């Protein structure tokens, strides 16, 4: 069986190479204000998200409360706790602590929407449950992710302003979502019709944020201490984290005697992490930090890894 390589993963890799060879345009000296363009783009991403958010499917999905509780607890509690358990064994060097914080940031992020629903559909799982959980996860993450990160950013090198962070997240994410929901009856049909084009816009903005983050890191020499060995360890780390979470969820689903459809949805939605929210949240939570490029490394690696593994599992389940 052939496993297709996701084109977006390739685009991310190419963007990092472009940032390496042409970092100037991602710096503060650049004549192009990429940060401002990215911030405007972020607002449009979540405006379109609100336009496409199905209120009917979310309402109908509320009834399966056990599934929803399991997915959200896995996303916002089990994931962070697994990474917290490792903190005691992390060396007290600046690089080691930054890498651990990057993993913790990954663990606190909401689930991804589109790929979760697509994979659940391919594996013949509970599609309405996947739509509900993946959609509501992003909204919950606006509140929960900064709360988790606030426990450690207050004492880190990042200048973490808790109040301003929520104001930024509300203005950049929540307000556009609400506006999108309000405009849904007027523009919702067009958002559905041009969904592929809007998805390309989303990915373009993500790539722009990634370019900005890595260009700044390369320009300032931040990655001079990141060896191939560290990158390999990061890859192993995200894989182990995924396996630990996926296995724990499997046990919970068996204990609760979930149906096959609900089990698939819980495993796929509960083990996913959103690169969209990762890039957006990082630009707000770590906007004054010089380590933003490293902060994004685990979520980028996890994004590629989760697509490959979940695609393989989904295809195997589809064949049964």
């Amino acid at each position: 069986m052939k496993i297709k390589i996701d084109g977006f993963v390739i685009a991310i890799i190419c963007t990092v190479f472009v940032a390496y060879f042409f970092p100037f345009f991602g710096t503060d000296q650049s004549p192009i204000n990429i940060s401002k363009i990215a911030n405007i783009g972020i607002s449009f991403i979540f405006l379109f998200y609100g336009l496409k958010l199905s209120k009917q499917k979310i309402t109908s999905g509320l009834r399966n409360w056990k599934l929803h509780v399991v997915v959200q607890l896995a996303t916002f509690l089990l994931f962070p706790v697994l990474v917290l358990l490792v903190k005691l064994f992390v060396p007290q060097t600046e690089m080691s602590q930054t890498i651990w914080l990057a993993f913790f940031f990954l663990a606190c992020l909401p689930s991804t929407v589109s790929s979760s629903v697509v994979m659940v559909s391919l594996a013949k799982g509970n599609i309405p449950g996947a739509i509900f959980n993946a959609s509501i996860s992003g909204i919950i993450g606006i509140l929960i992710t900064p709360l988790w990160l606030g426990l450690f950013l207050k004492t880190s090198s990042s200048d973490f302003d808790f109040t301003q962070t929520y104001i930024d997240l509300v203005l950049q994410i929540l307000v556009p979502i609400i506006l999108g929901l309000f405009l849904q009856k007027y523009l919702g049909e067009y958002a559905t019709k041009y969904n592929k084009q809007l998805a390309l816009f989303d990915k373009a903005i993500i790539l722009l944020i990634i370019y900005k983050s890595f260009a700044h890191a390369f320009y300032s020499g931040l990655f001079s201490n990141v060896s191939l060995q560290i990158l390999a360890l990061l890859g192993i780390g995200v894989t182990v984290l995924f396996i630990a979470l996926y296995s724990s969820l499997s046990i919970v689903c068996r204990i609760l005697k979930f149906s096959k459809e609900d089990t698939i949805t819980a495993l796929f939605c509960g083990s996913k992490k959103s690169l969209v929210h990762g890039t957006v949240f990082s630009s707000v939570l770590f906007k004054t930090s010089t380590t933003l490029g490293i902060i994004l490394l685990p979520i980028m690696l996890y994004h590629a890894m989760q697509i490959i593994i979940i695609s393989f599992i989904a295809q195997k389940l589809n064949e049964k």
Side-chain angles (χ1 to χ4, degrees):
M1 182 182 63
K2 294 181 179 180
I3 299 177
K4 294 181 180 180
I5 298 176
D6 188 86
F8 189 46
V9 173
I10 296 174
I12 290 173
I13 295 171
C14 291
T15 300
V16 174
F17 274 105
V18 171
Y20 178 77
F21 289 108
F22 306 99
F24 175 73
F25 293 101
T27 65
D28 295 333
Q29 292 78 34
S30 170
I32 303 172
N33 194 331
I34 291 181
S35 295
K36 183 174 288 186
I37 296 172
N39 287 338
I40 295 171
I42 287 167
S43 296
F44 274 104
I45 285 177
F46 287 96
L47 173 67
F48 300 148
Y49 179 73
L51 287 174
K52 295 181 288 183
L53 200 58
S54 174
K55 290 177 282 188
Q56 291 80 12
K57 289 180 179 178
I58 289 178
T59 303
S60 64
L62 283 170
R63 291 188 291 270
N64 198 350
W65 64 271
K66 283 186 180 180
L67 172 63
H68 309 328
V69 169
V70 168
V71 172
Q72 301 310 320
L73 285 180
T75 303
F76 294 112
L77 182 62
L78 181 57
F79 240 117
V81 167
L82 287 175
V83 178
L84 274 173
L85 292 175
V86 181
K87 183 170 175 57
L88 293 174
F89 306 98
V90 177
Q92 294 301 311
T93 63
E94 184 177 352
M95 177 60 72
S96 297
Q97 290 297 316
T98 299
I99 290 174
W100 177 86
L101 184 63
F103 269 91
F104 189 66
F105 174 60
L106 159 67
C108 298
L109 289 172
S111 177
T112 182
V113 179
S114 56
S115 63
S116 291
V117 176
V118 170
M119 296 303 175
V120 167
S121 176
L122 178 62
K124 301 174 183 177
N126 183 339
I127 298 175
I131 293 172
F132 173 84
N133 279 286
S135 301
I136 205 70
S137 177
I139 297 172
I140 295 173
I142 296 173
L143 174 66
I144 300 298
T145 302
L147 279 176
W148 269 119
L149 267 295
L151 297 176
F152 299 96
L153 288 180
K154 288 178 181 177
T155 56
S156 74
S157 58
S158 298
D159 183 18
F160 188 74
D161 185 345
F162 205 82
T163 304
Q164 187 59 45
T165 294
Y166 275 113
I167 292 173
D168 291 343
L169 288 174
V170 167
L171 292 177
Q172 279 193 290
I173 299 176
L174 198 56
V175 170
I177 288 176
I178 294 171
L179 181 60
L181 287 170
F182 176 75
L183 295 174
Q184 195 176 90
K185 61 180 178 180
Y186 306 107
L187 301 174
E189 182 180 343
Y190 295 100
T192 302
K193 181 179 179 180
Y194 296 104
N195 184 53
K196 289 185 178 180
Q197 288 82 355
L198 294 180
L200 287 174
F201 175 82
D202 293 356
K203 291 176 181 178
I205 296 300
I206 293 169
L207 292 176
L208 195 64
I209 296 172
I210 289 172
Y211 169 79
K212 165 72 176 176
S213 304
F214 277 81
H216 185 272
F218 286 132
Y219 195 80
S220 60
L222 180 63
F223 287 123
S224 58
N225 294 326
V226 181
S227 62
L228 290 176
Q229 182 181 9
I230 291 177
L231 286 175
L233 289 174
L234 287 173
I236 294 171
V238 296
T239 304
V240 170
L241 182 59
F242 175 86
I243 293 172
L245 194 285
Y246 195 90
S247 302
S248 301
L249 265 176
S250 298
I251 295 171
V252 171
C253 290
R254 282 199 297 270
I255 292 173
L256 296 177
K257 298 180 180 179
F258 277 3
S259 65
K260 179 183 176 181
E261 292 77 14
D262 285 354
T263 298
I264 290 171
T265 298
L267 291 173
F268 285 17
C269 292
S271 62
K272 289 290 197 73
K273 288 295 179 179
S274 173
L275 180 61
V276 174
H277 288 85
T279 50
V280 171
F281 284 13
S282 67
S283 66
V284 175
L285 296 171
F286 300 95
K287 59 185 174 183
T288 59
S289 175
T290 58
T291 60
L292 183 55
I294 292 178
I295 293 296
L296 284 175
L297 271 177
I299 180 58
M300 289 167 57
L301 292 171
Y302 192 90
H303 174 80
M305 181 272 305
Q306 73 183 8
I307 286 176
I308 293 171
I309 296 179
I310 292 295
S311 296
F312 177 79
I313 296 172
Q315 290 178 49
K316 294 294 288 183
L317 289 171
N318 188 44
E319 293 171 359
K320 292 184 179 180

